Each structure stands twice: as structure tokens, then as C-alpha cells.
Amino acid sequence: MDKETQKLLHATALNINVLLNHVHKFEGLDEKTQEFSESKFKETIKSLATAIDKEVTYLIIACKPPARSSDVESLCPKINAGFFSLVQQTERIPKSAGRTYLHAVRKATCQSLIAAIGLINSFIDDNVEMEQSVVSDMMFMPRSGVFWEHCKALSQVPADNRTAVALEWTTSVGNLVKDAVTELSESLDSAKEATTAHGEDEFSEDSMDEFDSDIPADRIDKGRKIEKQLQAAKHTCDKVALRCIRDCEQLDEERVVWLDGLLEQGKLIARSVDDLAATLFMDDESWNKCAELESEKLRHLLADLVTLAITFVDDSHLAWFELCRKQLGETQKVPAEVVR
């Protein structure tokens, strides 16, 4: 990652830190504003959180080696604007809403800001230091919770490699691919609705002018094609989880290596699925070319997964995997030995 990108990320973390220190001291407005509504506030925060989550996800992808400086440059202002609006909404809460209610909202807001700073710090050399009193106040319970979860996990270690792979596949592959498909479908549906009707923008503050999580209208058709490819990836991953991992009855040395290989390939596919979906949100004019490259990359990764799956999959399911590999355009012979 070049120095200019590092500086931009550092500045973004500094801005979020300023917001953190500010909202941490907020005790509520003395006078109740007539327009404040808990139900409306909840809807607003939920929408903001969803949008911020997407932009931060794209930032993570952009920061992975090799870092995409142009993507980072376009995402940082949006993330700053999103967190600014989050804090702005939080600081509209009056004291009359209740001390417990205010504390819960403020704590949730602060924890999201702390997590964002920590995440950005993981990508830069010059880390942004958070005020210790703020961090210790917000992080005590989560750290304790993590400790308790680790203790609990010790009594629930997997029975064997198949079980371990199955558990890891669910969290690191299955759920991630499923979420990516769902989020892309929702974004495409929202983009389609936006082309036919434009309601009043609930977040019309100046700070949100550049914070747009929608897919541009001229990319919807391309997005639907990508959606179909992601759905095919999900179906393939689900099939591997069921027919290769769950149904693996023998656990000899070769099959143990095979299961580990399936998992590693599945993780690559999960990352590729995210990268492909993210191209629809790129500000760069080369988004379409990037989408084609990521699409081809995903196709090859799926073909490699299916080829590996064929190695030991039960004969009753072999025909499906052979057909899948043929549809992916891979016609080479299946390797005789398991990939180690």
C-alpha cells in the first residue's frame, strides 16, 4: 500500500476518533424535540448501519493486497459521511427518552466507531490512538465475553476433521456466500425501485451528499448477470457441503487432506464472490472490465472446487459434479491423485 493511501486511511481513522470522543460524552438534549421518535430513529439507524457496513466491507476488499488505492480514495469520504450521520442522529436523542435508552444507543454507536478505527489501524503503519478512558469503558464487557466464549469453545472442540471442516465451512464459506447473494439481490431491487420512484431522502443532510450505497441504474442488467453467477456459486458450495463434507464417511489420510483442500478452495470462492459483487459499486469507469475479470476468476475457482470434489465424492453424486464442471467450461481430465 502506497504512502498516500496510508495517509488517507490514517486521516479517516482520525475523523472517526473525533466523532468517538464527541459522542462518548453526549448526555442527551435538555429539551425534547417534537420531531424525535424512537421508532423512526430505529429505522434511520438501521438503514445507516446497513449502508456503512457495506462501504466498510468494500474498504476491506480494497485494502487487501494488492491494495486498490483508487477504491480506497472513493470509499473513505463515504465512510466518514456515514459515521458522521450516525453520530448526528444519536445526538438528537433527548434526555426525556430515558437514561437507559440513551446509554444503550450511545454504547452501540461508540462500539461501532471503535471497531472501525481498529479495523483501519490493521491496514496502516501509523495507528490512531484512541483515548484509553473511552476504550476501557466500551470494551470491558466485550473482552470478558470473548474470554467466556473461548472457555466455552474448549468444551466443544470438533470430534474429527470432517466435523471441524463442516463447522468452518458454514461460517467461512456457506454463510458468507449466502449473505453476499442476499445483499446483492436486495441492492439490485432497491436500485430498480429508485429508477421508477424517488421518495424524500431521509438522510438529506449535507454530510450525506456523497454517501450512496445504491447500484447505478445503468449497471442493473450487468448486476442481474452477476447475481445469477453468485447464485450458481452458492448452489455449488451448498452441494459440496452436503455431498462431499457431510457425507464423507471414511476419514483416511487422503480424505482428511481432501477435506482441508475443499475448505481452502471454498474460502477463496467466498472472497471472490465478495470481490465480484463489489465491482458494481466501484466509482472507477473501469468497473465493467473489473467485473469481467472477477467473473472469470470466480468461474475458474468454482471449476477447481468441482474438480477437487470429484476426487472422492460418492458415485451417486458424481454425474452432477461432472455436469457442473462441463458447464463451467473445464474439460480436462480429473487428476488421479488428491491435491495435497
Side-chain angles (χ1 to χ4, degrees):
M1 185 180 294
D2 59 56
K3 292 183 178 180
E4 290 303 315
T5 304
Q6 288 252 352
K7 288 181 180 179
L8 181 58
L9 288 170
H10 181 80
T12 300
L14 280 176
N15 289 336
I16 298 174
N17 194 38
V18 170
L19 294 173
L20 171 63
N21 293 332
H22 187 67
V23 75
H24 181 253
K25 301 174 183 177
F26 179 65
E27 297 293 341
L29 298 176
D30 291 328
E31 296 182 2
K32 182 177 180 179
T33 55
Q34 294 182 351
E35 67 270 20
F36 181 79
S37 165
E38 283 88 349
S39 59
K40 185 177 180 181
F41 174 83
K42 185 175 181 178
E43 293 176 3
T44 301
I45 291 298
K46 183 178 179 180
S47 297
L48 272 173
T50 299
I52 292 171
D53 178 68
K54 289 182 179 180
E55 298 296 345
V56 172
T57 299
Y58 302 146
L59 181 67
I60 295 172
I61 295 172
C63 289
K64 289 180 180 179
R68 305 171 185 170
S69 300
S70 60
D71 288 355
V72 173
E73 185 176 356
S74 67
L75 287 166
C76 283
K78 297 179 181 180
I79 291 172
N80 279 330
F83 280 119
F84 181 88
S85 287
L86 180 64
V87 171
Q88 191 176 52
Q89 292 292 334
T90 300
E91 293 190 345
R92 290 176 176 174
I93 301 175
K95 290 181 178 178
S96 58
R99 184 174 58 186
T100 304
Y101 173 79
L102 174 61
H103 175 73
V105 174
R106 184 181 61 202
K107 183 176 181 180
T109 302
C110 287
Q111 287 180 336
S112 68
L113 296 169
I114 290 172
I117 295 171
L119 179 63
I120 295 174
N121 276 342
S122 69
F123 293 113
I124 60 179
D125 299 328
D126 184 16
N127 287 351
V128 171
E129 295 293 332
M130 292 176 275
E131 191 171 318
Q132 191 58 41
S133 61
V134 177
V135 176
S136 59
D137 183 28
M138 291 295 112
M139 297 298 285
F140 173 74
M141 288 305 295
R143 284 177 178 172
S144 300
V146 169
F147 173 74
W148 293 327
E149 286 299 317
H150 281 310
C151 290
K152 183 180 178 181
L154 288 174
S155 64
Q156 298 176 339
V157 293
D160 51 38
N161 196 58
R162 185 194 66 79
T163 307
V165 169
L167 291 170
E168 182 71 12
W169 182 279
T170 299
T171 57
S172 299
V173 182
N175 289 346
L176 295 182
V177 174
K178 178 183 177 182
D179 289 345
V181 173
T182 300
E183 289 177 6
L184 178 58
S185 296
E186 292 175 351
S187 295
L188 288 169
D189 290 342
S190 297
K192 184 177 180 180
E193 292 176 3
T195 61
T196 57
H198 297 276
E200 182 179 354
D201 187 359
E202 190 174 1
F203 317 116
S204 58
E205 290 85 5
D206 292 340
S207 62
M208 288 296 289
D209 285 347
E210 296 182 351
F211 192 66
D212 183 10
S213 63
D214 291 334
I215 295 174
D218 61 346
R219 302 183 187 181
I220 294 178
D221 290 342
K222 180 70 173 182
R224 292 300 183 190
K225 293 180 180 179
I226 291 176
E227 180 186 18
K228 289 182 179 180
Q229 186 176 7
L230 264 55
Q231 288 172 341
K234 176 184 177 301
H235 185 56
T236 303
C237 288
D238 289 345
K239 201 79 171 181
V240 169
L242 289 173
R243 303 310 179 194
C244 297
I245 299 174
R246 190 198 67 176
D247 291 352
C248 181
E249 296 181 355
Q250 298 181 21
L251 277 182
D252 53 40
E253 183 178 351
E254 287 187 332
R255 283 175 175 79
V256 167
V257 174
W258 177 60
L259 290 170
D260 287 333
L262 291 173
L263 177 60
E264 291 306 311
Q265 190 66 23
K267 289 180 178 180
L268 293 176
I269 288 171
R271 288 195 288 269
S272 181
V273 163
D274 277 339
D275 288 346
L276 177 54
T279 60
L280 292 170
F281 298 86
M282 292 175 59
D283 290 336
D284 197 299
E285 293 181 357
S286 64
W287 71 271
N288 192 43
K289 181 179 180 181
C290 290
E292 292 296 329
L293 292 173
E294 293 295 342
S295 176
E296 186 66 9
K297 176 183 176 183
L298 177 57
R299 186 183 69 82
H300 282 291
L301 289 172
L302 286 169
D304 290 343
L305 176 64
V306 171
T307 299
L308 182 58
I310 289 173
T311 309
F312 288 119
V313 71
D314 189 84
D315 289 345
S316 60
H317 305 294
L318 183 59
W320 186 92
F321 284 96
E322 288 281 15
L323 177 61
C324 181
R325 189 175 64 149
K326 183 178 181 181
Q327 291 174 339
L328 289 167
E330 297 294 319
T331 58
Q332 71 270 25
K333 294 181 179 180
V334 184
E337 297 180 344
V338 64
V339 179
R340 294 183 180 273

